[in-house]
Structure formats: structure tokens, C-alpha cells
Amino acid sequence: MNPPILRRATSADAALMARIGRETFVETFGHLYPAEDLAAYLPAAYDLEATRESLEDSLQASWLLETETGEPVGFATAGPCGLPHPGVGDGALELKRIYLTGPAQGAGVGGRLFDEVMDWMAAQAPPDIWIGVWSENLGAQRFYARRGFEKVGEYGFPVGKTLDREFILRRRPAF
């Protein structure tokens, strides 16, 4: 199989991004939540219009990884930091989402997607780069630590009535 094609997402990709966001979240984390919590979370988190607005926002950027036939295997979104930490300053950027489908995980394409996002953020010259990561996602935490991110805080991330413990990571200086 050839490596996936990496491209910048556009507003025309909104339905695709919303769908793969929902599917990947459920595939990866769905077993952790009661059905009613997922039913409350998914429509808001992967709303078509909100996704389209994000893709049209000049302060944000998204990328898609697709097979040669156009089948999505992952995506990432970055933009102004929205994490609840007192150290978030003006111009700080956040890797908001980086999702890979099950078959793409461990295939080496996540690093390629991550590097593309980091290159975009470097061009914006942010003071810091931030990431929120689930406290139990040890693989992601190791991945980010190898790339210079350090844990600087925690917060509660609501999925329906479930409140996940999330770690706040920062890389300083950004590059």
C-alpha cells in the first residue's frame, strides 16, 4: 500500500471531517462512555456547521490523510489555544485534534501529520504550542514528550455527564 496522501482540508471537506471525527472518536474512545453520554457529546463535538466554520476560520488550519482512493485515514486541526491554563498567552497555538483510524495507528503516518501541523504553527511564530491529551492515553503522551512537550496542568473534559481527566501539555519555546 502506498503512503497516504496528506492535504490541507477546505470547507468542502466539512461533512467528511465531521464524519471521520465522530467515527474515529467512537472507534478509539467510545467504549469508555455510557451510550447517553456519547449521544450528548457527538452531535455538538462534530457538528457539520461548526466543522465548516472551523475550516473557514483563517486562524485555524486542518489537514486530511487519505488513501490513493480518497478514503480518509486521519486528520488534524490546529488554531488559537483554547485550553484552560493561566499560562496561555496571546498568539499561543493548540493542536486541537489529531485522529487516526485504527488501521493507520502505528503505521508511521501520525508523525508525518504531526510534523505538517508543527510546520504550519512554526510559520505563525507562536510563543507556545499547547495540547490537551486524555490522562490515560499513554502512547500519545510518550509521543508528545519525545517532541518536547511537558505536562503543565490538568482539567476536566466533559463527554456528556462523564468528566475526563485531561492533561495540558506545552512546548516552550515553541520551536
Side-chain angles (χ1 to χ4, degrees):
M1 180 172 139
N2 291 327
I5 298 162
L6 178 60
R7 68 175 178 85
R8 198 63 191 269
T10 70
S11 60
D13 295 310
L16 176 63
M17 295 278 293
R19 178 179 64 83
I20 64 172
R22 270 190 315 276
E23 290 174 0
T24 305
F25 185 89
V26 170
E27 175 185 6
T28 307
F29 304 113
H31 66 284
L32 301 171
Y33 307 103
E36 58 272 12
D37 284 354
L38 277 177
Y41 174 75
L42 293 172
Y46 303 102
D47 176 75
L48 177 58
E49 285 311 309
T51 302
R52 183 174 285 110
E53 288 173 14
S54 170
L55 289 166
E56 292 172 350
D57 183 343
S58 64
L59 299 177
Q60 296 192 68
S62 295
W63 296 262
L64 280 166
L65 271 173
E66 300 172 318
T67 65
E68 291 176 318
T69 61
E71 182 65 30
V73 295
F75 77 95
T77 298
C81 185
L83 291 169
H85 189 279
V88 173
D90 290 341
L93 294 175
E94 175 187 354
L95 173 58
K96 295 180 174 292
R97 289 185 172 151
I98 184 164
Y99 289 171
L100 296 172
T101 61
Q105 293 177 13
V109 297
R112 182 173 160 218
L113 180 57
F114 180 85
D115 290 344
E116 184 74 18
V117 175
M118 292 296 113
D119 288 348
W120 178 83
M121 286 198 258
Q124 315 308 307
D128 300 307
I129 299 292
W130 298 79
I131 299 172
V133 62
W134 180 43
S135 61
E136 301 300 316
N137 191 342
L138 303 179
Q141 291 171 45
R142 286 189 298 272
F143 178 90
Y144 298 136
R146 287 192 306 269
R147 285 152 178 85
F149 286 85
E150 296 178 307
K151 180 184 171 203
V152 295
E154 297 182 15
Y155 73 108
F157 182 85
V159 177
K161 293 181 181 176
T162 301
L163 197 60
D164 282 344
R165 182 173 167 226
E166 296 279 317
F167 292 161
I168 298 173
L169 310 180
R170 175 177 63 195
R171 186 163 80 184
R172 178 181 249 180
F175 297 93

